[in-house]
Amino acid sequence: MNSSDSDLQIAGDILAVQHLLQPAREHPATVAEFAGLARSIAADRAQWEHLVSYDATSRWYHRLRTGPGYEVWLLSWVPGQGSGMHDHGHSSGVLTVLDGELTERAGRVQRALGAGSQRVFAPGYVHEVVNDALEPAVSLHVYFPGLTEMPMHSEQSEQSEQSVYAVRAAQCSPAVQSQDVVPA
């Protein structure tokens, strides 16, 4: 074998062996597929950009899509708006920043998340998302399974991992169904 052989030449063309390819799923089922779904929606600005609205009094949100076992939310954040310290109950999630910059705080860790940044989290992950920048921001959130609760945490309870209370959508907005929860 000489050094000019590529892996493709050595291994052959996988596209020529169709039975080895996995069929594309209609709906995502793995963390990687949910992250990929978020990236594909982020790349297709025509799908979401015209829907974005900004509200100086509260975070704006819009359910963009649902599928079997998941939901996708679009959120806007004006400077100074934040989610408060919370977790997502039994849901895992993918947070993708579409425009602007957000700050994520989790315990003693603080991360600046610019456009294109992505965070994946498991059930029970306690964090806070805030727009500390001077410009508005837009983010996309994929929850699997769909969000049914969002327990809020105080600074003390965040350290001890004890939930203070859960926020239900009926308390947050009359525009959503009672089984829905405001995403963050």
Side-chain angles (χ1 to χ4, degrees):
M1 180 179 343
N2 74 43
S3 61
S4 68
D5 288 340
S6 72
D7 290 340
L8 183 61
Q9 291 168 326
I10 294 167
D13 183 359
I14 192 162
L15 297 177
V17 192
Q18 292 294 321
H19 68 281
L20 295 178
L21 296 176
Q22 293 290 326
R25 295 183 214 238
E26 183 178 351
H27 297 285
T30 67
V31 172
E33 290 172 345
F34 284 111
L37 171 65
R39 282 191 304 275
S40 69
I41 293 171
D44 186 4
R45 293 183 76 87
Q47 189 178 155
W48 56 267
E49 193 170 37
H50 66 282
L51 299 170
V52 175
S53 182
Y54 298 95
D55 185 337
T57 59
S58 67
R59 281 181 301 124
W60 172 89
Y61 53 91
H62 172 76
R63 187 174 12 213
L64 193 61
R65 179 187 301 181
T66 61
Y70 72 94
E71 57 188 13
V72 180
W73 291 84
L74 186 62
L75 282 75
S76 71
W77 312 72
V78 298
Q81 286 181 336
S83 64
M85 197 64 75
H86 67 281
D87 69 58
H88 300 93
H90 299 291
S91 298
S92 294
V94 178
L95 159 65
T96 305
V97 179
L98 303 177
D99 277 328
E101 185 175 299
L102 295 171
T103 302
E104 181 196 35
R105 296 183 185 107
R108 294 186 178 116
V109 178
Q110 182 168 303
R111 293 174 188 86
L113 305 172
S117 296
Q118 204 166 44
R119 297 281 299 147
V120 175
F121 51 87
Y125 176 69
V126 178
H127 71 153
E128 174 181 34
V129 179
V130 179
N131 182 351
D132 285 332
L134 297 175
E135 299 294 325
V138 179
S139 58
L140 184 80
H141 303 247
V142 180
Y143 298 107
F144 46 98
L147 199 59
T148 58
E149 63 179 329
M150 196 176 94
M152 300 302 292
H153 296 254
S154 70
E155 287 297 322
Q156 280 185 322
S157 69
E158 184 271 324
Q159 293 170 0
S160 66
E161 296 296 323
Q162 294 176 354
S163 176
V164 177
Y165 56 90
V167 175
R168 300 280 175 204
Q171 298 168 326
C172 300
S173 172
V176 292
Q177 298 175 0
S178 62
Q179 74 269 17
D180 296 336
V181 176
V182 177

